[in-house]
Amino acid sequence: MNITRSAVAAARPALRPPPQSIHIAHRISPSPSSTRWQSTQVSRNLHQRVSLKTQGATGAAAEPQTYESTNPALSFPCLDAVESRSASLSRRSLSGPEPSYTTGNHQNFYSRQPLLLDWGGILPEFNVAYESWGALNNEKSNAILLHTGLSASSHAHSTEANPKPGWWEKFIGSGKPLDTDKYFVICTNVIGGCYGSTGPSSIDPANGERYATRFPILTMEDMVRAQFRLLDALGIQKLYASVGSSMGGMQSLAAGTLFSEQVGRIVSISGCARSHPYSIAMRHTQRQVLMMDPNWSRGFYYGGIPPHGGMKLAREIATVTYRSGPEWEQRFGRRRADPSRPPALCPDFLIETYLDHAGEKWCLEYDPNSLLYVSKAMDLFDLGQEHRNRINKLRAQNEGKLQAFVAGQNVNAGTNGDLCNLTLPDKPYEEQDQSADATANPENEPIAAIDSHEPPADLVAGLKPLANTPTLVLGVASDILFPAWQQREIATTLRRTGNRNVTHIELGEEKSLFGHDTFLLDLENVGGSVKDFLG
């Protein structure tokens, strides 16, 4: 026999307390514990509902009925943690809640000579934080410049002044790949960074305030030019080698193309000769989640709450690209952190808790604006000749502005004109058909396929300065951020320039499942290859 919905509704009043009104507390400036209580109360109240008006068999309207939801409100400890951190940061002293970004003691090179940047910006003065290991020989011919990844500091190895292990600790030292018995190893924090070198969090000498997003757009080549100012100050006229991984692998190539007569050898690990769409897309999403954090305040968050929530999410996205799926299958599988508890929307699977931990650990260790500027510089990287011609032309046009600044004349920030402005198109992007592609490519030149054995002529021309420079190019098959075909492209392009001293090594998945982070972890294969090449 069917029981009608109205009969059930009629029976309910006798089975429960009188209807309760729904009340949601106004949000104020509470303590973290108060915030969590209010959040829980709001969730519980929202899970109550008012039943629809029902009619009995006679057609008479029944009173509105309410009853408790059969489902309890979920808890959100991940959001509680973000709210708690914001409350804690807001209680810091008026001197500014932003963290002190540092990895310990380092040396400083300070330049009063202004630096003209590729896209027209000028740094009136700048500082480069650096550390060194080993001894410079009498001829000053044994120096190795070690380039960092995106967020690394100059602290690649421990020193007496800073005994904390560095990010390449096992790769540097006596008898190690970068053998300090043989070489004088120098590592810098790039300009644009936040570990001692001039960047967005630095003081603008023009007004005594932090640059924030008044900091000019940077390129990999700008960073390398600042590094070579340091080398000039140290009296190093020629490097024994330029070595780098990830972003550093891009910079090591840039150093060779800009200063071909001053670089003896090049090591480029898990890098590329030009940024490709996938890596640009991944860095774009990181920047977007950071910039959309309300605390970012268009870059002017210094003295307030930093956008730690956006930074945490940006780091989680980045971490996805740093390792490999097969490695995570082995480490985490589909296991949950606590299978005895019901599923949750906050981190629940082991892989989720791993990413959450990576974001939590990093969100206050690096300046958010530095992440924006340095990652954008990676996107702009292109050693093709056409791009270089455009940048060289732009630099020539801006030489007058630099000379005017040196002469003490006032350089109006507005002289950059449209270079500092961007207008999004009214019409969204649409896929173009083949005929439109042909119009965009009037000379009907073939578009290079991914992993093509023939690199584009433009890139061959751009890498021509490296035709006589011995080069080690190393890639990792499990790397999804800088796929191994990009290192093959570098090696093939260098050979097309006429370079007969190119060593290309690709670590298959049977040797490394660590993805992009292999360069940080694989002392045997990565370190061994570097040691053999340099020796």
Side-chain angles (χ1 to χ4, degrees):
M1 179 179 66
N2 294 328
I3 300 176
T4 64
R5 189 182 300 272
S6 59
V8 173
R12 278 181 177 148
L15 302 176
R16 65 171 183 274
Q20 297 177 354
S21 62
I22 297 176
H23 174 69
I24 299 177
H26 291 290
R27 193 182 183 95
I28 55 176
S29 298
S31 64
S33 59
S34 175
T35 300
R36 287 192 291 272
W37 181 87
Q38 289 181 10
S39 177
T40 302
Q41 286 299 107
V42 169
S43 298
R44 288 175 176 167
N45 290 331
L46 286 175
H47 276 71
Q48 294 177 337
R49 69 173 185 174
V50 179
S51 65
L52 297 174
K53 289 185 178 181
T54 59
Q55 290 184 339
T58 61
E63 290 295 322
Q65 305 296 333
T66 64
Y67 56 90
E68 291 289 338
S69 171
T70 59
N71 304 309
L74 294 175
S75 62
F76 295 94
C78 52
L79 301 184
D80 292 341
V82 173
E83 293 173 353
S84 178
R85 184 185 295 114
S86 289
S88 174
L89 290 169
S90 69
R91 290 195 299 267
R92 287 196 185 181
S93 68
L94 296 178
S95 62
E98 64 277 3
S100 176
Y101 303 108
T102 179
T103 53
N105 293 327
H106 55 255
Q107 296 171 277
N108 288 299
F109 163 68
Y110 172 64
S111 176
R112 291 186 179 275
Q113 183 181 357
L115 183 67
L116 176 64
L117 307 179
D118 277 345
W119 284 97
I122 294 177
L123 290 181
E125 56 190 51
F126 64 92
N127 192 76
V128 174
Y130 73 99
E131 295 177 53
S132 61
W133 305 268
L136 192 61
N137 62 20
N138 293 333
E139 297 78 19
K140 297 187 177 182
S141 60
N142 67 332
I144 291 179
L145 178 59
L146 176 61
H147 307 274
T148 73
L150 186 156
S151 59
S153 70
S154 61
H155 193 60
H157 188 271
S158 55
T159 63
E160 289 186 7
N162 184 2
K164 179 182 177 181
W167 57 267
W168 235 29
E169 184 74 19
K170 296 181 180 179
F171 292 74
I172 302 172
S174 177
K176 300 294 179 62
L178 298 190
D179 192 343
T180 51
D181 295 333
K182 296 180 179 180
Y183 311 119
F184 177 63
V185 182
I186 310 166
C187 183
T188 80
N189 177 222
V190 297
I191 58 169
C194 59
Y195 294 128
S197 294
T198 297
S201 60
S202 302
I203 299 299
D204 183 350
N207 56 19
E209 300 175 357
R210 294 180 188 265
Y211 278 105
T213 45
R214 286 187 294 259
F215 198 77
I217 290 292
L218 289 166
T219 66
M220 294 288 107
E221 289 84 351
D222 292 328
M223 299 172 184
V224 169
R225 290 188 183 94
Q227 291 172 325
F228 272 72
R229 291 272 188 94
L230 164 63
L231 297 179
D232 290 342
L234 296 175
I236 299 171
Q237 297 182 359
K238 185 172 183 176
L239 288 171
Y240 182 82
S242 173
V243 178
S245 305
S246 187
M247 184 182 83
M250 302 157 80
Q251 290 181 319
S252 63
L253 293 171
T257 56
L258 284 177
F259 304 98
S260 57
E261 299 301 318
Q262 296 174 251
V263 177
R265 292 166 183 76
I266 288 175
V267 175
S268 180
I269 305 168
S270 297
C272 64
R274 50 187 177 143
S275 281
H276 292 269
Y278 175 80
S279 59
I280 294 173
M282 295 309 298
R283 288 188 289 266
H284 161 77
T285 57
Q286 294 171 51
R287 289 194 296 269
Q288 287 288 287
V289 297
L290 170 53
M291 293 164 66
M292 290 183 183
D293 185 323
N295 289 324
W296 182 61
S297 301
R298 300 188 179 237
F300 291 88
Y301 51 81
Y302 302 111
I305 301 175
H308 58 91
M311 280 292 279
K312 176 182 176 180
L313 292 174
R315 184 61 171 189
E316 291 189 33
I317 295 171
T319 303
V320 171
T321 70
Y322 292 159
R323 307 302 273 262
S324 77
E327 180 210 355
W328 284 349
E329 183 68 34
Q330 289 185 8
R331 290 177 62 186
F332 307 116
R334 290 184 43 78
R335 296 192 302 277
R336 294 175 56 219
D338 187 352
S340 67
R341 299 179 64 84
L345 296 180
C346 279
D348 181 26
F349 285 93
L350 283 182
I351 181 60
E352 294 177 315
T353 61
Y354 168 79
L355 294 175
D356 184 74
H357 174 71
E360 286 283 344
K361 185 174 69 172
W362 196 73
C363 67
L364 294 177
E365 290 185 2
Y366 194 75
D367 182 45
N369 282 336
S370 286
L371 175 62
L372 298 176
Y373 277 88
V374 177
S375 70
K376 189 65 179 183
M378 294 178 72
D379 291 354
L380 296 171
F381 185 64
D382 183 356
L383 291 178
Q385 190 59 51
E386 182 180 347
H387 178 71
R388 293 304 328 147
N389 289 343
R390 179 186 180 188
I391 292 298
N392 290 337
K393 181 179 178 181
L394 189 60
R395 290 185 66 85
Q397 293 172 353
N398 285 305
E399 280 292 340
K401 185 171 69 172
L402 177 64
Q403 296 304 320
F405 178 81
V406 173
Q409 301 174 18
N410 194 23
V411 179
N412 192 332
T415 56
N416 279 338
D418 291 338
L419 291 178
C420 295
N421 297 302
L422 173 68
T423 302
L424 295 178
D426 294 330
K427 186 178 180 181
Y429 171 79
E430 295 178 0
E431 291 287 347
Q432 302 296 310
D433 58 27
Q434 200 65 32
S435 60
D437 289 341
T439 303
N441 187 17
E443 297 181 7
N444 202 26
E445 295 181 353
I447 299 176
I450 291 180
D451 208 11
S452 169
H453 293 294
E454 287 303 320
D458 175 65
L459 194 59
V460 175
L463 291 185
K464 197 70 175 177
L466 300 181
N468 299 313
T469 307
T471 304
L472 169 64
V473 183
L474 192 149
V476 180
S478 59
D479 189 344
I480 63 172
L481 184 59
F482 286 80
W485 68 263
Q486 295 184 9
Q487 291 85 57
R488 289 196 290 271
E489 180 180 68
I490 297 172
T492 304
T493 303
L494 288 173
R495 288 171 179 143
R496 295 296 182 271
T497 69
N499 192 327
R500 298 180 179 275
N501 200 345
V502 178
T503 303
H504 175 230
I505 297 174
E506 183 173 316
L507 302 181
E509 291 190 3
E510 74 281 359
K511 288 191 175 181
S512 178
L513 290 178
F514 295 124
H516 188 63
D517 273 357
T518 296
F519 76 89
L520 294 170
L521 304 169
D522 194 337
L523 180 61
E524 178 183 357
N525 293 302
V526 174
S529 299
V530 172
K531 185 175 183 178
D532 292 344
F533 176 77
L534 294 178

